[in-house]
């Protein structure tokens, strides 16, 4: 996180006991580049919320868990990211990467993802549901695709009073949630419950309907005010090596779909999975559960370049999956196995590979794998599962509508999300290539607002900001905004979520991760610094005593002379040349401990909570 220095107050020199004395308290010789924040700056100062593509109000729901209000936690996540149970298990959690608690010297990030799950696990038995607007717009919207993007769109637009129909080609909605992720990571009953909650908003879900066969895109355009295409990326990216058409070679997503729909119930022998993402890990773990004697993952770079996090790699290794790094496939070799042949095809027996070394970084910043001459070797294999990536299928777009594409993906206006065909929108992986679930959900929220604006001509979703002030409260001001563990919240260690022992991980349905116990979840939520709270100073009451500067445990608060401070105006920093002393705060390591409030002799310091909400205005 870049240095974020904020002006707390401009205090007139005349308010000090002596200008000369105060100057001795301005101990730093640094020139400070400071901001006079607006609301957007304060939002960015909540790093977890700002990093979340759906702008989930993370501190708000962590504070709710700390106070034992799991219903509120669930409701915040149901509103902000739509799939609390799902994302509490399989989210890529960019919020945790951004978490201030994980900054250098402050410890480990808060376990935000697992605490999202706790909100669902411990919510009350009563039904917590969102209510669609009773004031209907009379506008009809057709959504093509019932995956995370399509369901999020349907959810939002139905809440705002539109008539929504979702068309899904498969026999069940959910897209990758249902077809691409194994049940031992994401229980099917939870996915079904979350889909049901969305459909119950009054959405018409039509299954087994393929665009271009049972109905055309032109028909949808003619009978609806807007159409949005959210068909994702369902075509596998090929390895482009000899032998990919042999029996026993199954693309990763196809493999998971066959397993999750019950078409593939068992395998044997050695399974080789190619790739370094979550689909590759899912395939390798699933293969062992289906009966494979050995499961091997090949990845062309090192562990450091893999797209999965450390815990996913650890769990995969624990279950017995073997990893071979710096290895690329060259050739799939066949051998006739009459008992396994279907038709006249050839069947996999080996895969030839080459060892790599890392070269110069590519456009994505990761070092490119460079083959090592003469390092070829072979691995015996009964199944080969390429899981390197997926791509969209532009052939689903009818030529009559003239929807422009680029690299096989639909192109959309960056502001309206409309394609080159008026009234036809697109979002999700179909416009970007494969992404994580939370990124797709965040984009779908924005597309829903764009479609609503297109249909109604009004911006009906407003941002509401409430400010709540906590003033000095004796010697324990923190108790006003921090529910529990006020003395140790910043040193409570991060606790891993419990999971099944290796010998218990049998079958496809048994969930591996068990979730926090309620009391553990509350203590883990206590670790949150509550970055939606900000120290403020009433400059008219400050006497420049420097008590707050001296007591701050991380040296966040600064007192500076006027010649030491440059304040940002538009894009430039300028010296204001005022007869004042500046009170500043370096937000990077402020842990909201409130000690500065406690020692202030004039009670000019206070804590201010920023509460952000999206408000629907009919």
């Amino acid at each position: 996180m870049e240095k974020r220095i904020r002006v707390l107050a401009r205090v007139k020199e005349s308010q000090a006991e002596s200008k000369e004395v105060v100057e001795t308290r301005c101990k730093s010789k640094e020139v400070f580049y400071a901001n006079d924040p607006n609301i957007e700056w304060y939002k960015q100062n909540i790093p977890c919320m700002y990093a979340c593509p759906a702008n989930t109000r993370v501190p708000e729901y962590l504070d709710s868990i700390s106070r034992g209000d799991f219903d509120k936690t669930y409701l915040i996540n149901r509103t902000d990211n739509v799939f609390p149970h799902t994302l509490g298990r399989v989210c890529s959690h960019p919020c945790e990467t951004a978490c201030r608690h994980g900054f250098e010297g402050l410890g480990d990030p808060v376990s935000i993802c697992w605490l999202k799950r706790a909100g669902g696990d411990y919510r009350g038995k009563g039904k917590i549901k969102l209510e669609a607007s009773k004031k209907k717009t009379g506008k009809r919207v057709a959504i093509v695709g019932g995956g995370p993007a399509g369901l999020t769109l349907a959810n939002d637009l139905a809440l705002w009073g539109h008539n929504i129909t979702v068309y899904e080609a498969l026999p069940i909605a959910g897209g990758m949630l249902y077809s691409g992720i194994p049940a031992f990571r994401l229980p099917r009953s939870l996915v079904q419950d979350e889909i049901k909650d969305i459909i119950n908003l009054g959405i018409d879900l039509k299954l087994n309907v393929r665009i271009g066969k049972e109905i055309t895109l032109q028909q949808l355009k003619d009978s609806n005010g807007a159409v949005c295409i959210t068909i994702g990326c369902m075509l596998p990216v090929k390895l482009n090596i000899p032998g990919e058409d042999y029996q026993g070679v199954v693309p990763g997503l196809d493999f998971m779909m066959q397993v999750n729909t019950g078409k593939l119930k068992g395998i044997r022998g050695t399974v080789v999975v190619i790739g370094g993402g979550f689909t590759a890990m899912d395939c390798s773990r699933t293969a062992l559960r289906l009966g494979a004697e050995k499961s091997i993952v090949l990845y062309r770079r090192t562990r450091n370049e893999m797209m999965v996090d450390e815990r996913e790699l650890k769990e995969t290794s624990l279950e017995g999956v073997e990893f071979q790094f710096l290895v690329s496939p060259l050739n799939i070799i066949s051998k006739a196995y009459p008992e396994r042949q279907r038709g006249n095809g050839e069947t996999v027996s080996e895969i030839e590979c080459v060892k790599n070394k890392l070269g110069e970084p590519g456009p994505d910043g990761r070092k490119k794998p460079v083959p090592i001459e003469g390092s070829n070797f072979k691995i015996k294999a009964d199944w080969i599962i390429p899981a390197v990536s997926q791509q969209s299928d532009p052939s689903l777009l009818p030529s009559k509508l003239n929807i422009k594409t680029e690299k096989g993906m639909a192109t959309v206006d960056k502001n309206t999300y409309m394609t080159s065909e008026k009234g036809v929108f697109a979002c999700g992986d179909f416009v970007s290539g494969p992404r994580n679930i939370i990124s797709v959900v965040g984009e779908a929220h924005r597309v829903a607002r764009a479609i609503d604006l297109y249909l109604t001509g009004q911006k009906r979703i407003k941002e509401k900001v409430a400010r709540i002030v906590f003033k000095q409260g004796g010697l324990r001001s923190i108790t006003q905004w921090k529910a529990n563990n006020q003395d140790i919240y910043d040193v409570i260690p991060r606790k891993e979520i419990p999971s099944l022992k290796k010998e218990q991980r049998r079958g496809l349905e048994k969930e591996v991760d068990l979730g926090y116990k309620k009391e553990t979840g509350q203590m883990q939520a206590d670790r949150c610094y509550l970055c939606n709270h900000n120290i403020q100073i009433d400059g008219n009451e400050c006497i420049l005593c420097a008590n707050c500067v001296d007591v701050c445990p991380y040296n966040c608060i600064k007192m500076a002379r006027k010649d030491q401070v440059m304040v940002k105006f538009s894009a430039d920093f300028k010296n204001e040349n005022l007869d004042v002393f500046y009170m500043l705060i370096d937000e990077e390591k402020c842990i909201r401990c409130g000690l500065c409030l406690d020692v202030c002799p004039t009670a000019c310091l206070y804590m201010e909570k920023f509460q952000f909400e999206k408000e629907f205005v009919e």
Side-chain angles (χ1 to χ4, degrees), residues 472 536-543 597 600-606:
Q472 187 185 74
Q536 307 287 4
I537 292 180
D538 181 348
N540 293 322
E541 299 295 327
C542 179
I543 59 173
L597 270 72
C600 181
T602 66
C604 70
L605 278 94
Y606 59 94

Side-chain angles (χ1 to χ4, degrees), residues 276 281 299-314 317 323-326 358 366:
M281 302 304 108
Y299 183 58
R300 59 183 180 161
R301 295 184 173 96
T302 71
R303 162 65 192 99
N304 294 334
E305 286 77 34
M306 291 185 83
M307 302 303 290
V308 298
D309 58 40
E310 194 64 42
R311 187 173 187 276
E312 182 70 17
L313 184 64
K314 183 183 76 173
S317 299
F323 286 86
Q324 294 192 25
F325 297 108
L326 290 170
L358 292 182
R366 295 189 297 167

Side-chain angles (χ1 to χ4, degrees), residues 49 59 91 100 118 135 166 252 268 306 316 320-321 334 346 407 426 431 443 494 516 535 558 582 600 610:
M49 186 178 84
C91 187
R100 185 173 268 112
K135 186 177 179 181
V166 176
R268 57 188 174 87
M306 291 185 83
T316 306
V321 174
S334 69
E346 296 182 85
K407 296 181 180 179
V431 301
E443 182 182 75
R494 176 181 168 116
Y516 286 133
I535 294 293
K558 318 281 186 181
Y582 287 85
C600 181
F610 285 73

Side-chain angles (χ1 to χ4, degrees), residues 53 147-150 152 427-429 432-445:
T152 300
C427 84
D429 292 350
S432 64
R435 282 182 292 173
N436 55 60
I437 299 167
I438 190 64
S439 293
V440 167
V441 169
E443 182 182 75
H445 280 318

